[in-house]
C-alpha cells in the first residue's frame, strides 16, 4: 500500500499504521479513508495529499 504525504505540513499517512487517533485501523488504504478525514497535524483535507516518493 502506498504512503501519502501532506503537501502542507509533511505528515505521512502510512496505511500499515493507519491513524489510531483518528479511529483509522491499520491496513486502511488512503483511498478508503472516510471523506471527512483530515491531516492529524494541520487539519488539511485529503485533496492536499500527494503520493509519497518511494
Amino acid at each position: 500500500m502506498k504512503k501519502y504525504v501532506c503537501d502542507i505540513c509533511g505528515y505521512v499517512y502510512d496505511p500499515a499504521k493507519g491513524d489510531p487517533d483518528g479511529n483509522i485501523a491499520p491496513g486502511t488504504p488512503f483511498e478508503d479513508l472516510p471523506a471527512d478525514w483530515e491531516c492529524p497535524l494541520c487539519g488539511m483535507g485529503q485533496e492536499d495529499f500527494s503520493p509519497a516518493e518511494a
Side-chain angles (χ1 to χ4, degrees):
M1 286 183 281
K2 194 162 187 66
K3 295 178 183 180
Y4 281 75
V5 62
C6 178
D7 299 329
I8 307 303
C9 73
Y11 169 82
V12 176
Y13 175 76
D14 182 349
K17 296 178 182 176
D19 177 16
D21 294 335
N23 294 320
I24 305 298
T28 303
F30 186 82
E31 296 81 6
D32 292 345
L33 291 172
D36 62 349
W37 183 84
E38 298 176 337
C39 177
L41 295 184
C42 71
M44 299 308 292
Q46 295 174 47
E47 66 277 2
D48 292 307
F49 278 73
S50 299
E53 297 295 323

